[in-house]
Amino acid sequence: MSPQQNPNLQKLMQNSGLWRASSIDRELQSGISSGFDVLDRELPGAGWPADGVTELLYDTPGIGEFRLLAPALARLSRSQSRRIVLISPPYIPYPPALHALGIDLDALLVVRPGNGRDMLWAMEQALGSKGCSVVLAWANRTPGRKRSTGQAQQKGPGNGLEKGLENGLSDKQIRRLQVASKEGRSWHILFRPAAAARVHSPAELRIHLGPDTGGAINLKILKRRGGWETDVIRVNFNDGLNQPTPDFTKLFIPSLKRNHVISNQARRPLDRPVFPATADRNLHPE
Amino acid sequence: MTTRNRVCHINAAAEAFGIRVGSSVDTASTLVEQIVVCNRDEAKEQRMLRHLAQWAYQFTSHVSLKPPLGLLLEAGASLKLFGGIQNITGRLQGGLAGLGFTAAMSVHHTPLAAMTCARAGLPHMTPPEKMPVSALGVEARIIEALQKTGVRSVAEVLALPPAGLSRRFGADFMDHLQRLTGNAADPQRYIGEKPVFVSEINFLSDITDTSALIFPVHRLLQEFHEFLMTRQLRISAFEFRLAHRHHPPREITVTLAEPENDLSLFRLLIQLQLDKVRDVPEVDSVRLSAHRFVSSESVSGDLFHGTRFQQSDGRSGALADRENGLRLINMLHTRLGAQACFGLALANDHRPEKAWTQVPVHQRRDRSLPDMSDESIKRPAFLLHKPYRLQTRDNRPWGNGALTLLAGPERIDFGWWDGDAHVSRDYFIARHSNGALYWLYQEQQSHDWYLHGIFS
């Protein structure tokens, strides 16, 4: 029996906030356009959500995870009097670049909590405050990975972050953030390690990000409201960043032999980042 | 109560046991074993008096201090506002009782007459003639001499020939009498316009749990809020001091993003601060003080703000958004400290490290900076706090994988004008074999490669 015929089922559909996986509403523009048509087509509400937790799962910083968000952040920073809060960014969010991406710097607020407990507190407060349009939080520690935590914690103050979130965020914590985000009508972007994809999360939207060699980013929506997991979607930035400058190889660079410039393809597997993905205070030559 | 080991104040129970003012502490202890002796702290008394003067400022702007224990309020100008003298005295009594003080109060035409009445416990407006000589508040020598001659009341003093009085007791005494009766002017020094708020609560027993402090602290905040409201002031920072006679005092400063006078916000921030306090073993006094005030400009609020007319679809007024944002900043500041919470701004410098600044969130941004953004120059979204030295392989930068240079070089020269070593860097955009885009530079002197930014 179809739901149209069963009055009980129909009532349930109307009253309980249930949705049918097959009826993702692409016409209704309730989200914030991501600035990339190919992505907007796949997102419920034809854009980034206005609230709720969005998880971005990736391991290597630098693959375009911020440029993916930049058009939406730029629009939000200029169209609303609410703030954009960045919690525990791993590096300095660099104002000249943010400005060039169209983000109004006055809307930004950077928060660097000293430990994981404070970080969670700050996230929940910011989300529930009703004064923020977006709260971005970097919680990308691989769950259970001990490799750098022991070493990092001995290296001076400010590294307590690993302590609180050593095993990543728990189900319960994300649920709290989701509730706060709905209450404060703030969009929560949570950066998490790719390994977190293996565990369940109450987040409304989960996207895995992967690198691409030609000025794009490869993403795969793992979970969305009103839809199934997608195939890999290639989002092209069209910013000319990831393409060699045409005449570049012809330039005379004294200290650089010409053939150095020509790409030598990956000889090693792609799994290791250049340096630890946490705060660069921990960085030290190997 | 004692000063320099002498009893100076006693209660009725002590008097019943035969303890007298002026006897030594030893004598008193001999008489009764279980007496409670407190050392009188005159400096604290004076602080209290000054504080009460500030508090009394809400009734009239003409308040003057009459040390050691008196306050003089010129109420004539406030009669109309409060609707009669009964209202003023009633409110004063009630307010003082609320603050934990008892006062003898008297109303009169001249300052001296009012002081005399209060001291002698006479009803309001007692004619000067009926006042006893002992309450005059002049030197004890004069009172004694007058009493010896059989003069008891002021009426009898006034009946004596003035020339003789002046010769015997000095011109000052005559002047005092003239001012008492209102025949001579008696100008007063009123407390300054500059508002200062200091209020303190002392506990008889030590408090060891900071959560028990919340009630006295709320009382102080309530008082502070009244102070701000009556003067139409806002405050951007105030201080709490938790003290104990055996420990160094602990100061807690609450800093606000914008000047405020919101009691509920103060309570919230203090609660956050108190939750953080771990290292205070015991407390026997709490003090709240504030110095730099900002006069409160009346914000013409949004008519529908905070009412049911406020839109519920996520688009609330810009004013409400701003207030919510400020509230958040205040909370973050208080719990995490001012360094952990900041805004970002461009700086007028071409050096990558100095092309940005961290700005306090409550500081107004300098909008006069020229727009230096140039679409053709690519900058990474994230900059490393300190450039990370890369290894090289076959003269190529290497960092756990090959780095392919995509664009560059962009030469940035600096340091020659401000004393640092002259630095010259060639910046490149590079793609790592793992797909990430980095901002690298090569130092021209050493040919070393560094990683400086990430194009997230």
Side-chain angles (χ1 to χ4, degrees):
Chain A
M1 199 195 278
S2 80
Q4 279 78 18
Q5 289 158 340
N6 186 334
N8 285 339
L9 210 51
Q10 218 166 11
K11 211 162 119 192
L12 191 70
M13 293 294 286
Q14 277 167 3
N15 297 337
S16 61
L18 288 176
W19 40 262
R20 303 190 70 201
S22 57
S23 63
I24 169 168
D25 191 359
R26 292 190 184 84
E27 302 305 313
L28 187 72
Q29 175 88 35
S30 68
I32 307 142
S33 170
S34 68
F36 306 104
D37 287 346
V38 60
L39 181 57
D40 283 352
R41 276 201 290 278
E42 299 297 335
L43 291 170
W48 293 115
D51 57 17
V53 179
T54 296
E55 284 185 15
L56 297 181
L57 310 161
Y58 67 98
D59 280 333
T60 317
I63 55 173
E65 69 277 13
F66 196 81
R67 278 177 288 156
L68 182 69
L69 300 167
L73 294 182
R75 190 163 312 132
L76 285 170
S77 72
R78 294 186 184 278
S79 67
Q80 295 195 9
S81 49
R82 299 198 291 166
R83 296 210 173 234
I84 293 179
V85 182
L86 303 124
I87 298 177
S88 297
Y91 313 103
I92 303 163
Y94 193 46
L98 304 181
H99 183 76
L101 287 169
I103 297 169
D104 182 6
L105 295 175
D106 282 0
L108 294 183
L109 176 65
V110 182
V111 183
R112 287 194 183 280
N115 57 52
R117 249 187 83 203
D118 280 350
M119 179 176 171
L120 284 169
W121 176 84
M123 284 155 80
E124 196 175 8
Q125 293 300 328
L127 284 169
S129 72
K130 298 195 171 86
C132 311
S133 52
V134 194
V135 177
L136 299 96
W138 280 260
N140 20 6
R141 301 293 310 154
T142 312
R145 191 168 69 172
K146 301 274 182 195
R147 187 179 59 82
S148 64
T149 49
Q151 210 177 12
Q153 271 173 26
Q154 289 158 11
K155 288 183 102 34
N159 283 319
L161 188 69
E162 284 95 326
K163 212 152 109 192
L165 303 173
E166 193 177 301
N167 297 314
L169 288 160
S170 72
D171 212 15
K172 207 173 130 197
Q173 286 163 339
I174 295 173
R175 199 177 303 273
R176 274 184 71 161
L177 295 174
Q178 171 82 24
V179 170
S181 148
K182 290 283 177 191
E183 200 181 282
R185 301 189 305 271
S186 299
W187 176 28
H188 187 29
I189 300 166
L190 194 56
F191 297 100
R192 299 185 74 190
R198 289 197 301 266
V199 291
H200 169 262
S201 158
E204 279 190 343
L205 183 61
R206 307 186 82 195
I207 302 177
H208 178 270
L209 308 179
D212 185 273
T213 42
I217 186 167
N218 287 317
L219 52 87
K220 184 178 164 123
I221 301 177
L222 305 175
K223 181 184 174 186
R224 56 178 165 162
R225 191 164 48 80
W228 301 107
E229 189 176 305
T230 61
D231 292 330
V232 172
I233 306 165
R234 188 169 181 276
V235 174
N236 204 323
F237 291 123
N238 289 325
D239 55 4
L241 259 183
N242 205 348
Q243 280 114 31
T245 315
D247 299 339
F248 181 58
T249 50
K250 293 177 197 133
L251 284 169
F252 176 65
I253 308 162
S255 60
L256 205 70
K257 288 182 199 150
R258 179 150 313 168
N259 61 350
H260 296 161
V261 192
I262 292 151
S263 161
N264 59 18
Q265 290 310 308
R267 292 179 198 145
R268 294 165 65 97
L270 304 182
D271 58 351
R272 291 189 67 192
V274 184
F275 49 90
T278 45
D280 55 299
R281 289 168 248 177
N282 306 336
L283 290 181
H284 50 95
E286 291 168 55
Chain B
M1 188 72 87
T2 59
T3 19
R4 289 179 288 276
N5 279 330
R6 290 279 163 188
V7 176
C8 61
H9 285 290
I10 49 174
N11 60 10
E15 197 169 9
F17 278 107
I19 300 173
R20 294 288 171 264
V21 171
S23 55
S24 74
V25 176
D26 297 338
T27 318
S29 311
T30 324
L31 284 167
V32 197
E33 235 172 87
Q34 307 93 327
I35 55 166
V36 180
V37 178
C38 300
N39 240 323
R40 181 177 171 184
D41 185 341
E42 278 165 60
K44 219 178 230 180
E45 279 180 14
Q46 290 316 302
R47 272 210 303 278
M48 273 301 168
L49 191 66
R50 276 199 298 277
H51 167 61
L52 284 179
Q54 287 293 341
W55 173 81
Y57 197 83
Q58 59 184 299
F59 298 100
T60 166
S61 57
H62 292 169
V63 179
S64 42
L65 293 169
K66 291 286 164 194
L69 292 169
L71 275 186
L72 190 70
L73 278 68
E74 201 273 292
S78 308
L79 286 175
K80 205 166 180 181
L81 176 65
F82 286 90
I85 191 70
Q86 279 81 12
N87 282 338
I88 299 183
T89 53
R91 280 185 195 216
L92 268 169
Q93 285 289 18
L96 285 170
L99 294 171
F101 294 91
T102 50
M105 206 178 296
S106 181
V107 180
H108 221 293
H109 289 300
T110 67
L112 272 179
M115 295 293 291
T116 312
C117 272
R119 220 179 279 128
L122 296 171
H124 300 329
M125 299 300 203
T126 308
E129 292 76 23
K130 290 195 182 154
M131 293 175 190
V133 168
S134 56
L136 268 181
V138 290
E139 289 166 63
R141 167 182 73 81
I142 299 175
I143 293 171
E144 213 173 296
L146 284 169
Q147 282 174 337
K148 268 185 191 154
T149 56
V151 176
R152 292 272 177 272
S153 75
V154 175
E156 290 166 23
V157 180
L158 292 173
L160 295 170
L165 274 178
S166 173
R167 199 165 51 240
R168 180 131 183 231
F169 301 116
D172 286 351
F173 179 66
M174 283 313 295
D175 184 44
H176 189 94
L177 284 179
Q178 298 248 303
R179 284 188 286 145
L180 176 74
T181 53
N183 290 325
D186 190 3
Q188 301 292 320
R189 279 186 64 144
Y190 300 120
I191 54 166
E193 294 284 308
K194 195 181 157 199
V196 172
F197 183 88
V198 181
S199 183
E200 186 169 339
I201 294 181
N202 296 296
F203 308 116
L204 284 175
S205 55
D206 294 346
I207 288 180
T208 48
D209 183 5
T210 45
S211 61
L213 282 173
I214 204 70
F215 296 104
V217 161
H218 276 186
R219 216 186 83 188
L220 286 175
L221 284 175
Q222 178 73 44
E223 206 184 308
F224 185 44
H225 183 239
E226 273 171 24
F227 175 90
L228 292 177
M229 293 310 278
T230 48
R231 286 168 185 73
Q232 298 185 326
L233 294 175
R234 283 160 188 261
I235 187 75
S236 53
F238 57 93
E239 264 182 9
F240 261 90
R241 203 177 77 138
L242 306 178
H244 189 268
R245 57 191 179 278
H246 298 315
H247 304 290
R250 165 69 182 267
E251 304 256 347
I252 299 172
T253 309
V254 176
T255 319
L256 299 153
E258 292 237 313
E260 288 283 355
N261 59 6
D262 178 2
L263 181 60
S264 62
L265 177 70
F266 293 164
R267 283 189 178 163
L268 186 74
L269 297 181
I270 274 296
Q271 181 76 60
L272 284 173
Q273 286 281 24
L274 285 177
D275 288 346
K276 279 204 302 190
V277 173
R278 297 262 174 274
D279 53 336
V280 177
E282 23 184 22
V283 172
D284 67 357
S285 90
V286 184
R287 192 164 95 190
L288 171 63
S289 56
H291 301 280
R292 283 181 302 279
F293 297 89
V294 179
S295 69
S296 153
E297 66 225 47
S298 57
V299 181
S300 51
D302 183 341
L303 180 61
F304 301 119
H305 172 52
T307 69
R308 66 196 172 86
F309 294 106
Q310 199 172 346
Q311 288 144 320
S312 56
D313 59 0
R315 289 179 295 124
S316 57
L319 192 73
D321 286 344
R322 213 179 111 71
E323 276 175 12
N324 288 329
L326 284 173
R327 202 178 171 89
L328 172 70
I329 291 166
N330 281 328
M331 288 175 63
L332 293 172
H333 255 235
T334 309
R335 168 141 173 189
L336 307 174
Q339 289 77 31
C341 178
F342 52 87
L344 299 169
L346 294 172
N348 200 353
D349 200 310
H350 78 288
R351 283 173 279 187
E353 289 96 334
K354 297 191 176 175
W356 72 286
T357 51
Q358 199 167 308
V359 291
V361 272
H362 46 83
Q363 187 187 301
R364 298 244 178 262
R365 307 290 159 84
D366 183 7
R367 290 229 174 238
S368 62
L369 267 180
D371 191 352
M372 300 176 300
S373 65
D374 179 351
E375 290 300 316
S376 65
I377 295 176
K378 303 289 184 195
R379 289 286 177 265
F382 288 98
L383 195 74
L384 270 63
H385 291 97
K386 205 173 146 236
Y388 172 68
R389 168 92 180 271
L390 292 168
Q391 293 176 316
T392 50
R393 277 193 192 179
D394 312 325
N395 277 334
R396 284 192 298 259
W398 175 269
N400 285 335
L403 286 154
T404 310
L405 301 181
L406 298 175
E410 183 193 343
R411 171 67 58 90
I412 298 179
D413 255 4
F414 59 86
W416 49 268
W417 65 85
D418 58 5
D420 295 341
H422 178 198
V423 177
S424 176
R425 294 171 175 177
D426 279 339
Y427 276 89
F428 297 88
I429 298 172
R431 182 172 63 224
H432 190 261
S433 58
N434 65 14
L437 285 183
Y438 296 129
W439 203 39
L440 312 182
Y441 70 81
Q442 186 180 31
E443 280 217 352
Q444 283 312 290
Q445 271 89 16
S446 59
H447 298 306
D448 285 339
W449 285 90
Y450 291 87
L451 174 72
H452 204 185
I454 301 171
F455 288 90
S456 281

